[in-house]
C-alpha cells in the first residue's frame, strides 16, 4: 500500500498547531480521512478544527 505524507494544522488550546503525518492509504483522499480520524481521536477534536493543507505520495524506502 502506498505511503502518503499529510501536512496541515489543528486547533489546540486556542492556537493552530502544525502537523505532519505519514500514513498508509490506497489514495490521497483516504490518507486525509485517516489523518482526520487519527488526530480527532487522539486530541478529542471535531473535524472542523483540523485543516489538511496537502497529501502527497512518498516514494518507497
Amino acid at each position: 500500500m502506498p505511503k502518503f505524507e499529510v501536512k496541515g494544522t489543528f486547533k489546540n488550546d486556542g492556537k493552530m498547531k502544525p502537523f505532519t503525518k505519514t500514513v498508509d492509504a490506497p489514495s490521497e483522499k483516504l490518507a486525509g480521512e485517516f489523518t482526520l480520524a487519527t488526530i480527532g481521536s487522539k486530541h478529542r477534536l471535531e473535524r472542523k478544527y483540523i485543516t489538511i493543507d496537502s497529501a502527497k505520495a512518498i516514494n518507497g524506502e
Side-chain angles (χ1 to χ4, degrees), residues 12-31:
N12 189 15
D13 296 329
K15 298 178 184 173
M16 296 303 281
K17 306 276 184 165
F19 70 84
T20 301
K21 293 231 100 7
T22 302
V23 296
D24 293 332
S27 68
E28 284 183 21
K29 184 176 179 179
L30 285 177

Side-chain angles (χ1 to χ4, degrees), residues 3-7 20-23 31 35 54-58:
K3 287 187 182 278
F4 290 89
E5 182 179 73
V6 181
K7 293 183 179 184
T20 301
K21 293 231 100 7
T22 302
V23 296
T35 304
S54 67
K56 61 181 177 180
I58 301 174

Side-chain angles (χ1 to χ4, degrees), residues 4 6-7 9-11 19-25 29-52:
F4 290 89
V6 181
K7 293 183 179 184
T9 57
F10 67 94
K11 192 171 188 176
F19 70 84
T20 301
K21 293 231 100 7
T22 302
V23 296
D24 293 332
K29 184 176 179 179
L30 285 177
E33 289 294 320
F34 292 163
T35 304
L36 287 171
T38 302
I39 292 175
S41 171
K42 184 175 181 181
H43 296 280
R44 309 309 278 160
L45 292 173
E46 295 179 16
R47 288 176 178 233
K48 65 183 178 182
Y49 298 118
I50 306 167
T51 303
I52 294 178

